[in-house]
Amino acid sequence: MAFEDEPVHRQIYAKQILAKAGISRNNRLLAAFAKVAREEFIGPPPWIYKDFHNYREMASADPVVLYQDMLIGIDTARGVNNGMPSLHAAALHALGIREGETVTHLGAGTGYYSAIIAELVGPSGRVIAVEYDEALAEKARENLGRYANVQLIHGDGTEWPEEDADVVYANFALDHPPEAWIDNLAIYGRTLFPLGVPAIENGRPAGFTRWAGFLIIDRRPSGFGAKFLQPVSFVWVEGQEPPPEGRHQRLADAFRSRRGFQVRSFRWQTPPGREEWYGEEDWGLSFEEV
């Protein structure tokens, strides 16, 4: 179906989401947001939405109310939501997903944004959607069953992709790029994830990030470009070992420097170079161009 054939409320929603994300022209992304029915990935009413720091029940069971730029709760006890549409629109626009590409979507939740990505890659493309939580993965498997180009994996998103992918899109935050996200990124591929520092409860990472930014890394024949798109707040990764001592403090200090916007390249498995925004022995973010 063409964009004009989709329900009017989804057409309006798609136009508003892209406009709020600052996207003036991306017809393929516009059509993908209009095509996918959000209510099919949220579950039955009553629906819960997040208003600042609190969850509230929607006073309507009409699916039209879901077509707003808001967080809809999926697992409110753990703070898991169907993410902010304009934020994901901005990320997907930056990734520039093309027809026929292979995209690994990590932290797929119940599959809404995996479905939008499936529309972007088309029948000749492939989406590998990975979800750590078993219950959410099962819901995503059911929701995405109509998409022949989507493979749903219940597993640890830090271990995927297992083979070359054109795009890696992670919807959970962590404090470093896992090896699989870089080593299995095809030439001219793009990785986008929230790099940050978690909130701490009872001595352990919990809930959402305290400092974080959407970081995009693009692989080139001569190295890796990198830049931060915008500050974000994301749910923290599950199932990871404690970080090396001092990493979170040093990363928080880097964010406090307010120089993240100057990052231009990513160092991987090579010795540190000149001045870096943040760096460790095997990786770093530099102000130098590739």
Side-chain angles (χ1 to χ4, degrees), residues 141-163:
R141 193 184 309 279
E142 296 173 4
N143 295 337
L144 294 165
R146 79 197 71 169
Y147 289 94
N149 59 348
V150 177
Q151 177 185 6
L152 194 286
I153 304 292
H154 170 223
D156 185 342
T158 65
E159 298 176 354
W160 289 80
E162 294 185 332
E163 55 189 32

Side-chain angles (χ1 to χ4, degrees), residues 165-232:
D166 299 297
V167 173
V168 176
Y169 182 38
N171 289 165
F172 52 80
L174 70 176
D175 51 21
H176 68 285
E179 290 184 8
W181 299 5
I182 307 301
D183 289 344
N184 294 330
L185 189 64
I187 298 295
Y188 302 113
R190 295 84 69 202
T191 290
L192 177 54
F193 72 101
L195 174 73
V197 178
I200 301 295
E201 294 180 9
N202 300 319
R204 295 188 61 83
F208 282 71
T209 48
R210 187 162 53 92
W211 297 87
F214 244 156
L215 177 68
I216 186 167
I217 298 170
D218 62 290
R219 187 167 203 163
R220 310 173 191 179
S222 58
F224 295 89
K227 66 178 179 179
F228 282 103
L229 300 182
Q230 65 185 93
V232 293

